Amino acid sequence: MKLAVLISGSGSNLQAFIEACASGELSASIALVLSNRPGAGGLARAEAEGIATLTIDHRDFASREAFDRAMLDALEPVAPDLVILAGFMRILTPAFIAAFRGRLLNIHPSLLPKYPGLNTHQRALDAGDSEVGATVHFVTEELDGGPPLLFARVPVAAGDDAGALADKVQRREHVIYPLAARWFVEGRLALRNNQALLDGQVLPGNGIDLDAIRD
Ligand code: GAR
C-alpha cells in the first residue's frame, strides 16, 4: 500500500512510520511526504530516507479551498491508499476530506473526545486531569471529531508541565499510530455511517485502549 504523510513540523510521527515500513511492521511504503511549512523538520527526515517530498505553503493561497485543491492536485498522481496526518496543523476543507473519506487518519494529542483543538495538555493540566494521552481517529468533517480507533493513556506525574506531557505522550503516539495504520493496511478497518469498524465490529466510542491489547 502507498501512504502519503502530511506534516507541518518535526515529523517524529513520520519517523515512526518510516521505521514501521522499514521493519516490515507496516506492509506499506511512503510515496510522498507533503508539508505546508517550508523547512519543516520532517522534510529532512524524509529526504534522508530518499522519500519524495513536496512543500505547498498555505500562505501562497488566497483561501483554504485553493490550498486544499493544490494538495489534491499534488496527491492525485501519487494515488495514495491511505493519507496520514502526522502533526499537520491545517484544518481541511470538506472537499479534501471527501476525496479521502475512510482512508484519512489523524493523531490528536488528547484522549478524545476531550480537548479537540490546540493546547491539549495545558488544558488537561488546568482541568486537574490525572491522565492525558493521544488518539488515532478517522478524519471526518468535524474537527478532531471523527471516530476514534486507538488511544494511549499517560498518567500525569507531580511536576509535569505541558512540555513534559507532550514528550511522554509522543512516545506513545509513535506506538499507536503505526499500529492503527497497520489495521488499515491489513484491510481490517473501515469507516461506515460515521462509525469505525475493526474486523467488522463497531469500535467503542473512544476507540481501543492500547493497554487493553498490549502484551
Ligand atoms: C503530535 O504530538 C501530534 O499529536 C500533534 O502534533 C504533534 C506533531 O509532532 N498533532 C496535533 O496537534 C493535531 N491537531 P511530530 O511532528 O513530531 O509528529
Side-chain angles (χ1 to χ4, degrees), residues 9-14 86-87 89 106-109 144 170 173:
S10 94
S12 69
N13 280 285
L14 164 65
M89 302 305 282
N106 182 42
I107 191 157
H108 183 73
D144 299 326
Q170 276 198 355
E173 293 184 14

Side-chain angles (χ1 to χ4, degrees), residues 61-122:
F61 296 85
S63 67
R64 249 181 230 292
E65 286 71 21
F67 170 63
D68 279 14
R69 213 172 308 122
M71 289 203 297
L72 284 172
D73 288 347
L75 288 167
E76 197 190 334
V78 176
D81 300 291
L82 177 63
V83 176
I84 298 288
L85 305 181
F88 184 71
M89 302 305 282
R90 302 295 303 166
I91 294 173
L92 294 167
T93 56
F96 187 96
I97 292 166
F100 293 108
R101 195 173 177 80
R103 48 203 184 96
L104 180 57
L105 300 183
N106 182 42
I107 191 157
H108 183 73
S110 79
L111 297 169
L112 289 172
K114 277 187 155 183
Y115 313 125
L118 299 175
N119 302 320
T120 53
H121 301 313
Q122 189 58 52

Side-chain angles (χ1 to χ4, degrees), residues 56 59 96-97 123 130 132:
I56 303 179
R59 294 168 300 187
F96 187 96
I97 292 166
R123 286 156 70 201
S130 59
V132 294

Side-chain angles (χ1 to χ4, degrees), residues 52-53 110 155 162 182 186:
T53 64
S110 79
R182 180 182 176 147
E186 292 175 345

